[in-house]
């Protein structure tokens, strides 16, 4: 059952469909609530508000990076694949001489079909060619839609269940004010940790999007000067351009494949910093 989190000035308002407001919040709303509980509730509301903002930023970051990945595939990877197919057919060049084995593997695993919606929601977090790990489907649904379920799959962020933190006594009403304060403050701490995690995730997405955009621009510039007939003259220039294009495209392929999250939903290790895509001059 969905659990929506709107906010009101001066305090926290939760609408819990199927939960009941009293069950989600306890009994003490209004003047009967002690100052300690009211202050704890305000701290909890602030933590929820910050989490909401962080989630929206990550949602936008996933969409932006997904669009960048789709454009890089359409504007660089597919033209590169077509160019190499023609060059191999005419025995002018071979993919194995242009791409590293790892980059070849990524390219061969990618379908030439346009990027689907399912891929756009998965690839930004787990890399091109991946599918959503089954255990992380609730997380990606939450990032897109912003609702939680009491009796559905647990949404876990940085190892913590968000529903329990957002409604700290949804399943076990507290006995007294001290228990309410403890529950609200513990929930606020969990929500703050989740917010910090989402902020780190957004930063990782932004950095990858900027890196991919730069490589895409450089690869597109090289592709503009290359076509299969240009190799027939025997000139060295198209081969040098192809060599540069292979370095840039190979770097791009490996970067696009790098996951942001692991299968447990935690931040994956940072990918190696991409080397300068221009190969060193031959000596």
């Amino acid at each position: 059952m969905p659990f929506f989190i709107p906010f009101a000035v001066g305090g926290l308002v939760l609408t819990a469909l199927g939960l009941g407001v009293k069950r989600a919040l306890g009994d003490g709303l209004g003047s009967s609530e002690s100052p300690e509980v009211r202050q704890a509730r305000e701290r909890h509301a602030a933590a929820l508000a910050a989490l909401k903002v962080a989630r929206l930023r990550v949602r936008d970051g996933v969409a932006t990076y997904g669009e960048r990945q789709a454009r890089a595939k359409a504007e660089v990877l597919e033209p590169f694949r077509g160019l190499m197919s023609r060059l191999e057919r005419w025995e002018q060049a071979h993919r194995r001489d242009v791409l590293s084995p790892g980059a070849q593997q990524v390219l061969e695993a990618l379908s030439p079909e346009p990027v689907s919606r399912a891929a756009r929601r998965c690839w930004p977090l787990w890399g091109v060619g991946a599918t959503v790990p089954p255990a992380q489907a609730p997380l990606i649904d939450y990032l897109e839609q912003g609702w939680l379920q009491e009796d559905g799959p647990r949404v876990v962020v940085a190892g913590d269940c968000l529903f329990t933190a957002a409604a700290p006594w949804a399943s076990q009403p507290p006995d007294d004010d001290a228990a309410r304060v403890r529950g609200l403050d513990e929930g606020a701490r969990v929500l703050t940790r989740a917010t910090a995690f989402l902020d780190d995730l957004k930063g990782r997405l932004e950095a990858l999007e900027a890196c991919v955009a730069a490589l895409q621009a450089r690869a597109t510039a090289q592709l503009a000067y290359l076509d299969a007939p240009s190799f027939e003259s025997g000139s060295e220039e198209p081969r040098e351009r192809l060599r540069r294009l292979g370095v840039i495209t190979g770097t791009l392929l490996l970067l696009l494949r790098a996951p942001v999250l692991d299968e447990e939903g935690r931040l994956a290790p940072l990918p190696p910093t991409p080397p300068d895509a221009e190969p060193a001059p031959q000596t």
Side-chain angles (χ1 to χ4, degrees):
M1 55 192 72
F3 181 79
F4 298 94
I5 309 175
F7 301 93
V9 176
L12 171 66
V13 177
L14 296 185
T15 301
L17 301 182
L19 274 175
V21 174
K22 289 181 67 176
R23 184 175 173 212
L25 294 178
D27 298 326
L29 285 174
S31 59
S32 63
E33 195 171 63
S34 71
E36 292 79 12
V37 172
R38 185 161 52 250
Q39 291 165 8
R41 196 182 302 286
E42 289 171 357
R43 292 191 293 271
H44 189 266
L48 269 171
L51 179 67
K52 177 181 178 181
V53 171
R55 181 194 70 81
L56 291 172
R57 288 175 176 166
V58 170
R59 182 197 66 182
D60 294 345
V62 168
T64 298
Y65 187 39
E67 177 63 26
R68 173 63 63 188
Q69 289 175 315
R71 287 181 56 192
K73 180 178 182 297
E75 298 175 12
V76 175
L77 303 186
E78 295 311 324
F80 176 82
R81 194 200 306 262
L83 173 65
M84 291 308 305
S85 294
R86 289 190 295 273
L87 291 176
E88 287 173 335
R89 190 163 56 247
W90 297 349
E91 298 185 348
Q92 296 283 359
H94 294 281
R95 209 167 308 194
R96 64 178 179 271
D97 299 325
V98 176
L99 293 177
S100 69
Q104 287 184 71
Q105 187 177 31
V106 177
L107 185 63
E108 290 167 3
L110 286 177
S111 167
E113 298 297 320
V115 180
S116 66
R117 182 185 180 280
R120 285 175 188 250
R121 72 195 297 259
C122 168
W123 287 6
L125 296 177
W126 287 282
V128 298
T131 57
V132 178
Q136 299 310 315
L139 172 61
I140 203 166
D141 288 340
Y142 166 72
L143 293 175
E144 289 182 350
Q145 302 170 13
W147 48 258
L148 304 169
Q149 292 180 310
E150 181 190 23
D151 56 357
R154 298 168 72 238
V155 177
V156 176
V157 173
D160 296 307
C161 176
L162 289 190
F163 182 88
T164 302
W169 50 67
S171 59
Q172 183 62 49
D175 296 327
D176 53 35
D177 282 359
R180 288 175 180 168
V181 170
R182 286 195 300 272
L184 284 164
D185 282 345
E186 176 56 29
R189 283 190 288 271
V190 171
L191 296 172
T192 299
R193 287 197 297 269
T195 298
F197 175 87
L198 293 181
D199 287 341
D200 289 343
L201 174 56
K202 177 61 164 57
R204 185 79 65 86
L205 290 167
E206 287 178 339
L208 281 171
E209 198 277 333
C211 218
V212 168
L215 289 167
Q216 179 185 346
R218 298 176 72 177
T220 300
Q222 294 295 332
L223 279 165
Y225 290 96
L226 278 172
D227 56 28
S230 67
F231 286 78
E232 294 179 356
S233 65
S235 168
E236 183 59 27
E237 180 182 353
R239 297 189 177 279
E240 177 61 20
R241 287 191 178 277
L242 181 63
R243 189 171 70 87
R244 294 176 187 172
L245 177 62
V247 172
I248 299 169
T249 303
T251 303
L252 178 61
L253 281 161
L254 295 177
L255 194 62
L256 287 170
R257 185 64 186 91
V260 176
L261 298 180
D262 63 20
E263 292 191 355
E264 296 180 352
R266 299 182 184 274
L267 287 176
L270 284 167
T273 301
D276 193 318
E278 286 288 340
Q282 297 275 332
T283 57

